[in-house]
């Protein structure tokens, strides 16, 4: 079994050749030997389609010579590439907090509320702070807690997410976050507006 890095490199190479191939199939000589082996492995997982006898015969006519092997990505293979390329590098935020960041630990219900807020994103009048979406995607689970390193603007966004949850459902998340991290949103009746409160 090829390494994960080589496996993905081979799928990317196959996609690149496939995009410029006249008939959408990548022929044997187009791939490096190690990529060829990895593509064969990917075919066994349903990520790559290998040309059958009839297709090879058809390609041989187009190529003007015998085609003994040809491959192309399946839909699943394309999904694997799209997903892995969109994913941030693993453990990217866990070298420790950067300047201006602090450790935030969230329970499962809190993380669920934060994920929903991030998912709504630009549809909200108060969207998530810059960088919060990636921090949520790369959060690490340790036991029953999710661990993130957030700056103050991102922490305020978390407090806002929990405020939204408190209005429409549970207030437990907002209350614990306020106690733990000293940030909460409260309606200010004197000004008929929502106010960010720092408790410490």
């Amino acid at each position: 079994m090829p390494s994960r890095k080589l496996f993905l490199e081979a799928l990317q190479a196959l996609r690149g050749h496939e995009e410029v191939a006249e008939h959408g199939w990548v022929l044997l000589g187009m791939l490096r030997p190690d990529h060829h082996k990895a593509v064969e492995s990917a075919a066994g997982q349903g990520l790559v389609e290998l040309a059958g006898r009839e297709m090879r015969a058809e390609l041989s006519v187009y190529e003007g010579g015998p085609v003994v092997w040809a491959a192309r990505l399946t839909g699943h293979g394309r999904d694997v590439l799209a997903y892995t390329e969109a994913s941030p590098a693993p453990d990217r935020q866990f070298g420790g907090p950067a300047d201006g960041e602090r450790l935030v630990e969230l329970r499962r219900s809190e993380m669920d509320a934060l994920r929903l807020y991030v998912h709504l994103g630009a549809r909200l009048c108060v969207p998530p702070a810059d960088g919060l979406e990636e921090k949520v995607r790369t959060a690490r689970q340790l036991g029953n807690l999710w661990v993130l390193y957030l700056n103050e603007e991102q922490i305020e966004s978390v407090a806002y997410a929990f405020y939204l949850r408190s209005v429409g459902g549970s207030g437990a998340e907002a209350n614990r976050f306020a106690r733990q991290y000293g940030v909460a949103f409260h309606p200010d009746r004197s000004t008929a507006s929502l106010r960010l409160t720092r408790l410490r």
Side-chain angles (χ1 to χ4, degrees):
M1 178 70 184
S3 69
R4 181 171 300 178
K5 181 180 178 183
L6 177 61
F7 189 81
L8 292 174
E9 280 181 359
L11 293 182
Q12 290 167 338
L14 184 67
R15 179 183 60 190
H17 287 298
E18 186 181 327
E19 287 172 353
V20 298
E22 186 176 357
H23 304 293
W25 288 87
V26 179
L27 307 184
L28 180 59
M30 297 178 177
L31 294 174
R32 289 176 4 200
D34 56 343
H35 283 172
H36 176 259
K37 289 181 181 178
V39 165
E40 289 273 355
S41 176
Q45 300 178 43
L47 305 180
V48 169
E49 177 187 0
L50 298 179
R53 181 181 301 173
E54 290 184 9
M55 179 53 67
R56 292 199 308 272
E58 187 177 329
L59 290 171
S60 295
V61 173
Y62 294 136
E63 295 295 322
V67 170
V68 297
W69 185 94
R72 64 184 179 184
L73 289 170
T74 64
H76 298 306
R78 292 185 181 281
D79 286 350
V80 164
L81 286 180
Y83 187 86
T84 55
E85 289 169 355
S87 300
D91 299 337
R92 194 148 116 208
Q93 64 165 300
F94 287 99
D99 289 343
E101 292 182 341
R102 56 177 163 144
L103 174 67
V104 172
E105 296 177 324
L106 300 180
R107 296 173 178 170
R108 180 174 179 177
S109 64
E110 296 164 346
M111 197 64 184
D112 288 344
L114 183 56
R115 283 197 182 104
L116 178 57
Y117 174 65
V118 165
H119 173 71
L120 290 170
R123 286 183 277 173
L124 299 169
C125 292
V126 181
D130 288 345
L132 182 59
E133 180 179 1
E134 182 175 349
K135 292 297 181 76
V136 169
R137 287 194 303 170
T138 58
R140 174 183 289 175
Q141 187 174 13
L142 296 177
N144 294 324
L145 296 175
W146 291 88
V147 177
L148 310 89
Y149 292 123
L150 304 179
N151 62 33
E152 289 306 312
E153 185 180 3
Q154 292 163 348
I155 287 172
E156 291 174 10
S157 265
V158 175
Y160 187 70
F162 295 162
Y163 162 75
L164 296 178
R165 185 175 178 89
S166 72
V167 175
S170 168
E173 294 80 12
N175 292 337
R176 193 188 84 85
F177 195 76
R179 289 194 305 271
Q180 194 78 18
Y181 301 102
V183 182
F185 279 87
H186 294 292
D188 186 339
R189 299 189 185 280
S190 64
T191 60
S193 63
L194 192 64
R195 181 166 52 90
L196 173 67
T197 303
R198 292 195 172 277
L199 306 178
R200 49 182 155 141

